[in-house]
Amino acid sequence: MKWFESWFDTPYYHALYQHRNEAEASAFIDRLILHLGLESGMRVLDVACGKGRHSAHLASRGLRVTGLDLSENSIAAASALGVAGATFAVHDMRVPYPVNEMDAVFNLFTSFGYFDDPREDAKVLENMACACALGGFVVQDYLNADSVLGMLPQEAHLEREGYQFVTRKYRTETHIVKDIEVLDSGEKHVFQEQVRIFDIDTLMALHHGAGLKVLNVFGNDELGAFDAKSSPRMVVVSQKS
């Protein structure tokens, strides 16, 4: 079993990242909706939607949302939200999506680059492009590795929701890797996550290779200018034409 098939489906994953700022995430979505000119009733796809926090906010703005994620537990939690205008399904992002003619496809919070074979990353972008209508947008929000590589390796000791975590983050030639130890009622569990190290040119090339035209690259969730060395994010906005 691959690391992403097990780790994302555990309660520990959601506990470790429960500190995410919902207000900031909602504001980011609102900026993207305004920037793209999305209007009520348009169809959008949220790839790797997790428990549906971005999907729920998109739906609250009148958009018709489909959320897809590999984690059965996450999709169950997203579906249980009962958000009007949003539907959710378990799906592997490497497999062509069960929807098309989307006005926008979102892939947010570095939900990409998980795979050992870079051809699988390319396939994910191709699937996003195929799900788009002509003139539709793909928005990919990914960490800017150059802004963090100089701070690696890192180790952290955390307590979240009664679990004790020890995380060790480091780089390999191709990926940023995080080893995760969880102490739960005296029992230790070990997991790992990894994301591929992309520079902006490589990420843009993946969009171009999928038949998309890159329109903008932003450097943060406020849609500020991108700086290759200092920006925390790479927010790539491309269009199917």
Side-chain angles (χ1 to χ4, degrees), residues 203-237:
L203 198 58
M204 289 172 62
L206 285 171
H207 282 247
H208 292 144
L212 299 164
K213 179 182 179 181
V214 175
L215 303 179
N216 306 99
V217 178
F218 300 109
N220 53 43
D221 60 11
E222 296 180 350
L223 306 189
F226 175 73
D227 180 87
K229 292 299 181 184
S230 62
S231 292
R233 314 296 299 171
M234 298 186 292
V235 183
V236 180
V237 179

Side-chain angles (χ1 to χ4, degrees), residues 13-29:
Y13 167 74
H14 298 287
L16 181 60
Y17 294 112
Q18 53 84 25
H19 63 291
R20 292 168 178 167
N21 190 305
E22 296 298 330
E24 288 181 1
S26 296
F28 180 37
I29 293 294

Side-chain angles (χ1 to χ4, degrees), residues 108-122:
L108 305 174
F109 205 73
T110 313
S111 301
F112 184 71
Y114 301 148
F115 313 114
D116 294 327
D117 186 344
R119 291 175 296 183
E120 293 188 301
D121 297 319

Side-chain angles (χ1 to χ4, degrees), residues 127-169:
N127 291 339
M128 292 184 200
C130 286
C132 265
L134 282 175
F137 301 98
V138 171
V139 179
Q140 188 168 41
D141 161 43
Y142 200 81
L143 77 98
N144 178 26
D146 277 348
S147 71
V148 300
L149 288 175
M151 297 183 286
L152 301 180
Q154 293 178 356
E155 181 171 319
H157 296 252
L158 307 163
E159 181 177 351
R160 297 269 164 80
E161 297 186 8
Y163 306 125
Q164 303 291 327
F165 291 93
V166 179
T167 66
R168 299 178 180 88
K169 186 186 293 187

Side-chain angles (χ1 to χ4, degrees), residues 41-93:
M42 286 185 168
R43 301 176 65 212
V44 300
L45 175 63
D46 186 3
V47 177
C49 66
K51 287 187 172 182
R53 64 182 185 134
H54 294 119
S55 293
H57 192 73
L58 288 162
S60 77
R61 293 297 182 260
L63 297 164
R64 292 182 292 159
V65 185
T66 300
L68 303 177
D69 199 278
L70 184 63
S71 167
E72 294 182 4
N73 287 335
S74 290
I75 288 300
S79 299
L81 295 174
V83 176
T87 59
F88 299 95
V90 175
H91 192 84
D92 188 323
M93 63 170 67

Side-chain angles (χ1 to χ4, degrees), residues 88-107:
F88 299 95
V90 175
H91 192 84
D92 188 323
M93 63 170 67
R94 295 167 293 180
V95 178
Y97 306 143
V99 292
N100 53 31
E101 297 299 311
M102 293 283 133
D103 295 293
V105 177
F106 294 94
N107 177 237

